[in-house]
Amino acid sequence: MKLDNLAPQPGAKKRKRRVGRGIAAGQGASCGFGMRGQKSRSGRPTRPGFEGGQMPLYRRVPKLKHFPLVNRKSYTVVNVGALAGLAAGTEVTLDSLMAAGIVTQNDGPLKILGDGDLAVKLSVTAAAFTATARQKIEAAGGSFTIA
């Protein structure tokens, strides 16, 4: 076997359609693009999603209401002010907050928000913290760890 013997299977390759070669060839003159108009010009077609200058669907849709985020993270949120009633030196986790009655149901990983004041030294373990929550926990002498 040599390179010059290699060829594709019969029927595997189709001939390229030769357009604009006269009326007898079947694709003469307008080459199958019809008569006049934007879609008959050279350099056609328009880009994907183009709607003739109307605001295209892919730009309209997210502006409308009621389009939820696809993989939205939901957290069990607690404000720093709710932790102020705990005893000093307490380990704060989602389980301990549920046991204390501060959180009533588990809506996902724990996130600490910065609303309220904290004067108690706590060690808080949560999945996420806001910047103000971190500042208030550290200002009270406590520590935070991201779990």
Side-chain angles (χ1 to χ4, degrees):
M1 178 178 276
K2 294 183 180 176
L3 284 176
D4 58 336
N5 293 343
L6 293 177
Q9 291 273 30
K13 288 190 73 163
K14 287 184 74 174
R15 265 181 53 202
K16 184 174 173 260
R17 184 170 66 174
R18 297 180 72 228
V19 295
R21 292 295 181 270
I23 197 166
Q27 295 291 337
S30 57
C31 306
F33 290 136
M35 293 171 62
R36 294 190 295 272
Q38 186 178 26
K39 293 179 185 171
S40 72
R41 308 297 188 202
S42 66
R44 64 172 293 276
T46 57
R47 68 176 182 276
F50 183 68
E51 296 183 22
Q54 173 177 302
M55 185 62 70
L57 183 69
Y58 71 91
R59 289 188 60 194
R60 281 198 307 268
V61 166
K63 294 180 185 175
L64 302 176
K65 294 179 185 177
H66 316 298
F67 280 87
L69 291 170
V70 177
N71 292 320
R72 185 172 175 263
K73 283 186 182 176
S74 61
Y75 290 101
T76 304
V77 292
V78 176
N79 279 306
V80 168
L83 306 178
L86 296 172
T90 309
E91 275 285 329
V92 179
T93 60
L94 181 57
D95 296 328
S96 68
L97 290 176
M98 289 185 83
I102 295 172
V103 174
T104 54
Q105 66 184 33
N106 185 348
D107 292 330
L110 182 63
K111 183 172 184 175
I112 309 295
L113 306 180
D115 190 36
D117 294 319
L118 183 68
V120 187
K121 182 180 178 182
L122 301 170
S123 58
V124 185
T125 304
F129 296 86
T130 60
T132 53
R134 289 181 184 195
Q135 291 169 359
K136 289 180 181 181
I137 291 168
E138 286 180 332
S143 64
F144 62 88
T145 52
I146 297 171

